[in-house]
């Protein structure tokens, strides 16, 4: 069959025709989202939001109706691109919508393989070709949860199992297991999505690899900071999730404190207006490290697991970074307040941890 009369054959196959028409509509909206103020119009249109969330839900719930896997991928890529353009202005209306956004971002992010899971790794390797949309996922999630208190609350409900929609709970447990709201697996997976985009595996080569994706790194840090807020204020997990993150083989606490010191040094040496973003990066790295350590300590104190948890926490190499670096940052006259505040906080946490372990 050389495909003669292919158009006629396809035209008579009504399901193929409907899929192609839907594909054309999806592509039109995708292109519209790039131009002018169209993103605001789309983000505030209830009918369009109904359309795009249905477009995300349908390939998940009824994949067979799309006939071709490539078409399902095309629809999901269109949705991802549109959300990257409009999500900063979207007010998520339900727990189901928030779960669909989260599911979409998971679909395009790198994942841990079985060996990495066994070793309790927190970050997965992001392949530039295979996982080229991982940065889009980080962009979408960071914007949706950092731009609105309502959106942040809905994400908190999803991650902690407090969603009012039972269908959402069912879909989550089908994908992450029945105990994901007890051991914090969904929150850790979301944290992994954010932090995996940071090129921590190449930190020994310098910070150029971070500077190449500076904006994405900042979005990643902001997303992780939001998750630590949820962990501190809205979780009822039966595991010390922050401790799990800090004791992972990557030594995230040490890496974050090192990055904070390096970017603070760059700020001091550049001495121009462009260095403000370096100061912001430094402060956010230190803040995330401090938040995680405080979450781990507070959980241990609240759940009376101080001996076991904090002994394990103290065993993490350079958890609080190099004390020489911390002191030098504190004594630098030109250091911005946002960095100095985190340095003082690091020292207070160190003293608090020392007192609790001695007791």
């Amino acid at each position: 069959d050389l495909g003669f009369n292919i158009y006629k054959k396809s035209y008579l196959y009504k399901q193929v025709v409907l899929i192609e028409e839907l594909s054309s509509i999806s592509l039109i909206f995708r292109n519209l989202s790039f131009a002018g103020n169209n993103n605001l119009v789309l983000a505030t249109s209830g009918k369009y939001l109904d359309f795009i969330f249905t477009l995300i839900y349908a390939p998940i719930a009824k994949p067979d109706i799309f006939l071709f896997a490539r078409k399902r991928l095309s629809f999901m890529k269109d949705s991802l691109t549109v959300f990257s353009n409009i999500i900063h202005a979207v007010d998520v209306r339900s727990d189901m919508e928030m779960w669909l956004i989260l599911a979409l971002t998971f679909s395009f992010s790198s994942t841990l393989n079985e060996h990495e899971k066994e070793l309790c790794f927190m970050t997965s390797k992001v392949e530039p070709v295979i996982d080229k949309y991982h940065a889009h996922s980080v962009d979408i999630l960071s914007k949706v949860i950092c731009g609105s208190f309502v959106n942040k609350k809905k994400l908190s409900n999803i991650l902690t199992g407090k969603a009012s929609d039972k269908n959402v709970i069912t879909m989550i447990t089908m994908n992450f297991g029945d105990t994901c709201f007890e051991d914090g697996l969904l929150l850790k997976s979301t944290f992994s999505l954010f932090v995996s985009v940071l090129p921590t595996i190449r930190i020994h080569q310098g910070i150029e690899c971070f500077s190449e994706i500076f904006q994405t790194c900042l979005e990643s840090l902001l997303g992780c900071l939001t998750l630590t807020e949820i962990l501190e204020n809205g979780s009822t997990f039966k595991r010390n999730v922050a401790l799990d993150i800090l004791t992972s083989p990557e030594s995230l606490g040490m890496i974050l404190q090192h990055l904070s010191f390096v970017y603070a040094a760059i700020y001091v040496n550049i001495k121009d207006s462009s260095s403000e973003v370096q100061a912001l990066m430094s402060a956010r790295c230190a803040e995330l490290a401090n938040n995680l350590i405080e979450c781990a300590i507070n959980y241990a104190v609240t759940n009376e697991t101080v001996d076991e948890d904090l002994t394990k926490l103290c065993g993490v190499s350079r958890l609080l970074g190099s004390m020489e670096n911390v002191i030098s940052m504190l004594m630098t006259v030109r250091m911005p307040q946002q960095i100095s505040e985190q340095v003082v906080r690091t020292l207070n946490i160190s003293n608090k941890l020392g007192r609790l372990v001695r007791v």
Side-chain angles (χ1 to χ4, degrees), residues 47-197:
K47 290 184 178 179
Y48 177 69
L49 292 178
D50 290 341
F51 169 79
I52 194 169
F53 281 117
T54 303
L55 197 61
I56 298 171
Y57 180 80
I60 298 172
K62 298 182 178 180
D64 294 340
I65 66 174
F66 293 93
L67 299 179
F68 313 110
R70 187 68 189 175
K71 277 299 175 185
R72 297 200 303 272
L73 175 62
S74 178
F75 288 132
M76 295 179 74
K77 282 171 61 179
D78 286 348
S79 301
L80 189 81
T81 303
V82 169
F83 270 136
S84 186
N85 292 329
I86 74 171
I87 199 67
H88 62 281
V90 172
D91 288 323
V92 180
R93 300 168 297 180
S94 67
D95 290 337
M96 177 61 80
E97 289 185 354
M98 180 57 76
W99 162 241
L100 290 175
I101 292 172
L102 190 58
L104 180 68
T105 57
F106 276 132
S107 298
F108 286 94
S109 62
S110 64
T111 56
L112 294 167
N113 59 42
E114 291 304 316
H115 181 62
E116 289 170 334
K117 289 178 181 177
E118 290 175 4
L119 296 175
C120 300
F121 272 82
M122 185 53 55
T123 58
S124 56
K125 186 177 181 181
V126 178
E127 298 284 355
V129 176
I130 299 173
D131 304 308
K132 64 180 180 179
Y133 291 104
H134 190 118
H136 286 69
S137 297
V138 171
D139 178 57
I140 289 169
L141 268 188
S142 64
K143 286 177 180 176
V144 75
I145 62 179
C146 294
S148 163
F149 174 80
V150 174
N151 291 351
K152 185 191 297 185
K153 180 63 177 175
K154 283 185 169 57
L155 180 69
S156 177
N157 291 340
I158 296 294
L159 298 180
T160 58
K162 298 175 183 176
S164 57
D165 190 333
K166 299 304 179 184
N167 291 324
V168 172
I169 300 296
T170 300
M171 292 173 73
I172 293 173
T173 53
M174 285 175 60
N175 287 276
F176 291 90
D178 295 333
T179 61
C180 65
F181 299 124
E182 296 179 4
D183 57 20
L185 178 59
L186 181 56
L187 189 143
K188 285 192 285 188
S189 298
T190 308
F191 190 94
S192 175
L193 186 156
F194 278 123
V195 80
S196 291
V197 81

Side-chain angles (χ1 to χ4, degrees), residues 330-344:
L330 190 62
M331 296 179 66
T332 301
V333 177
R334 294 190 62 255
M335 198 63 67
Q337 182 179 352
Q338 57 184 336
I339 297 178
S340 298
E341 287 176 351
Q342 293 304 321
V343 172
V344 171

Side-chain angles (χ1 to χ4, degrees), residues 198-348:
L198 300 175
T200 54
I201 196 172
R202 295 162 56 197
I203 193 170
H204 64 282
Q205 300 174 358
I207 65 164
E208 288 76 13
C209 52
F210 289 85
S211 300
E212 290 170 1
I213 52 170
F214 193 88
Q215 189 66 37
T216 302
C217 289
L218 269 180
E219 289 180 332
S220 168
L221 292 171
L222 288 172
C224 289
L225 284 168
T226 301
L227 294 184
T228 59
E229 291 178 25
I230 293 172
L231 192 57
E232 183 67 31
N233 301 320
S235 67
T236 54
F237 299 132
K238 295 182 180 180
R239 282 189 64 85
N240 194 332
V241 174
L243 180 64
D244 290 342
I245 294 172
L246 289 167
T247 54
S248 65
E250 296 95 331
S251 299
L252 288 175
M254 178 186 69
I255 289 174
L256 290 168
Q257 293 289 8
H258 176 71
L259 285 173
S260 176
F261 171 74
V262 171
Y263 277 105
I266 292 174
Y267 170 85
V268 171
N269 288 299
I270 289 180
K271 299 180 180 179
D272 61 32
S273 58
S274 65
S275 63
E276 293 298 328
V277 292
Q278 316 295 337
L280 180 62
M281 175 69 94
S282 174
R284 292 292 178 264
C285 286
E287 184 180 2
L288 178 56
N290 288 334
N291 280 10
L292 285 169
I293 298 169
E294 284 200 326
C295 283
I297 292 173
N298 292 340
Y299 181 94
V301 171
T302 302
N303 293 273
E304 300 180 352
T305 57
V306 169
D307 290 343
E308 179 183 353
D309 286 0
L310 298 193
T311 299
K312 187 184 296 185
L313 189 63
C314 289
V316 178
S317 176
R318 294 203 169 195
L319 175 67
L320 296 163
S322 166
M323 278 298 125
E324 292 82 358
N325 291 346
V326 171
I327 297 301
S328 66
M329 290 166 68
L330 190 62
M331 296 179 66
T332 301
V333 177
R334 294 190 62 255
M335 198 63 67
Q337 182 179 352
Q338 57 184 336
I339 297 178
S340 298
E341 287 176 351
Q342 293 304 321
V343 172
V344 171
R345 190 176 166 209
T346 299
L347 292 172
N348 289 336

